[in-house]
Every structure is written in C-alpha cells, then in structure tokens.
Amino acid sequence: MSVKFLSAASFGYGALARSSKVCAAALAVFVGLSEGVSAETVTIAALGDSLSHGYGLPAGQGFVPQLQAWLDANGADAKVLNAGVSGDTTAGGLSRVDWTLTDDVDAMIVELGGNDLLRGVDPDVSRQNLSGILSAAHAKEVEVLLVGIEGTANFGADYKQRFDAMYPDLAQEFGTLYYPNFFAGIAAGGVTPETLRNFMQPDGIHPNAEGVKLIIAAIGPSVLELVNAAQ
C-alpha cells in the first residue's frame, strides 16, 4: 500500500481534515494487516520416516510432539504436522511430497535416507529423490530444513562418502537450512553401549523417549531458524 502525501495548499481546511482522516484510517488498516502477518502461525510438515513418525513410542513422546512442546516452550508460533511414515525411503517421500505440501504448509523438515542406507540403495538414486523433494518445496516457495544422517561403512568407503556428501551438497544447491545428523543430540558424548541402553530402543535403530528429548534439544535451534525464515 502506498500513501500519497498532499500539501495543505491544495485543499481547504475541511478537505484537508477529511484527507487526514482517510490517511489515518488507511494507516490503521496497514498496521493491523502487518500485525496479522507477523503473528501468523507457521505450519511445518515433518516429512520423514519412522524417526519422524515416532516408531515404538507412546503418543506424545515421538519426535513431532516433543518438537511441538519444545517450540511452544521457546515462544515459537508454529504448528508441526507429522508427515512421517515408518519404513519410508527417499523414493516414498518423493511420491507423497506433492500432497504433503498443501497450501497451509509454510515450511518443511525433510528427514529421509535412513531406510535407503539400511537397504543399500545407490546414493545417486537417493540424491535424485531428495532433489525432487527439494524442487517441489522450492516450487511452492516452502522453506526447508534438510536433516542428514551419517552413513556406515557396511557397503564400503565409497558408498559412505557418496551418501554423506549428498545432504550438504543438496542443501547448498537449493539454499536450504541444513542439520548434518539427526542423531547429533545422542551422539554428542560418543556412541557407547551405555548410550545405546539409555537412549535407544532395543532395536538399536530408533531412539527412546529420552533419546528423542536429546535429539530435540540439539535440533530445536535449527527449527527455530526455519520458523523465522518462513515468517
């Protein structure tokens, strides 16, 4: 909205008074609209696999509800939607990204690749799928936090190198926010048998509720950055 300022010489007193009232009313509307935009809740879709979905955990203890509680406690006006599907690969995420990105979604956390790693999917294929997901978000002008996961040496050093490289490479290519390792909050003190007992479920793959709490404490600031970018 533009406001045109008019000189008093152009009007008689009555006309000037009416003009002033109109400008004041227009300014009030503008301020009200600005306040409404700044206070609008940011809707975040957490597109991921079982780690996002909350596999093996009671309701309210998974990644999404714990993240929501953390954001609330830190004063963020944001709503997190659980778009995690247990067992999903990057291909699965790509197949459902379009209907995940509804008009009310302002931002997206992309947490995928763990099941590709477990199945030995070619990292070039995983990279292409993630690229498709980020392209879809870019087309919808949705801000993204890309969350990586560290590869293992099970399929050789070359596989691990290519797998680990795809996350930072894609984040740079698409200009997204980037969080290197979903498990950073748990792995910060080193991965030991005690760590696995205290913070992981018996399968050694999925975090327990206390493990999720550590994960959220570590990734939370990056999600706050995502919220700010989407506002």
Side-chain angles (χ1 to χ4, degrees):
M1 177 186 296
S2 61
V3 178
K4 183 178 181 181
F5 290 93
L6 304 169
S7 68
S10 302
F11 297 91
Y13 176 81
L16 180 58
R18 288 193 297 272
S19 176
S20 297
K21 291 179 181 178
V22 170
C23 289
L27 181 60
V29 171
F30 177 78
V31 171
L33 288 174
S34 298
E35 291 177 349
V37 170
S38 63
E40 185 176 354
T41 300
V42 173
T43 300
I44 306 170
L47 182 70
D49 49 35
S50 55
L51 298 176
S52 293
H53 182 257
Y55 174 86
L57 295 172
Q61 294 300 311
F63 176 79
V64 168
Q66 287 209 46
L67 176 59
Q68 183 69 67
W70 190 94
L71 290 171
D72 293 344
N74 283 272
D77 188 4
K79 177 183 178 182
V80 188
L81 306 178
N82 195 337
V85 174
S86 293
D88 216 1
T89 61
T90 57
L94 178 59
S95 71
R96 58 192 177 87
V97 66
D98 286 334
W99 56 262
T100 298
L101 291 173
T102 57
D103 291 341
D104 62 327
V105 171
D106 307 299
M108 183 165 64
I109 299 170
V110 178
E111 174 278 305
L112 287 164
N115 288 306
D116 296 51
L117 179 63
L118 291 174
R119 301 177 188 187
V121 174
D122 188 332
D124 291 342
V125 174
S126 301
R127 179 190 287 258
Q128 185 176 4
N129 293 333
L130 288 172
S131 178
I133 292 170
L134 299 181
S135 294
H138 180 74
K140 288 288 190 76
E141 298 182 342
V142 169
E143 297 289 340
V144 172
L145 172 61
L146 180 61
V147 179
I149 189 169
E150 290 188 3
T152 66
N154 293 8
F155 301 102
D158 175 68
Y159 182 99
K160 175 175 169 54
Q161 181 179 11
R162 289 189 295 130
F163 184 91
D164 289 346
M166 68 182 179
Y167 293 106
D169 287 353
L170 288 170
Q172 182 175 15
E173 178 183 347
F174 287 91
T176 73
L177 297 172
Y178 172 55
Y179 187 77
N181 182 9
F182 181 86
F183 288 102
I186 292 178
V191 180
T192 65
E194 184 179 6
T195 301
L196 295 176
R197 284 195 305 270
N198 291 338
F199 303 116
M200 299 294 288
Q201 296 182 41
D203 61 11
I205 297 173
H206 300 94
N208 60 24
E210 288 302 310
V212 173
K213 184 177 181 180
L214 292 179
I215 289 168
I216 295 300
I219 199 174
S222 295
V223 179
L224 279 180
E225 190 176 353
L226 177 66
V227 172
N228 291 333
Q231 285 178 329

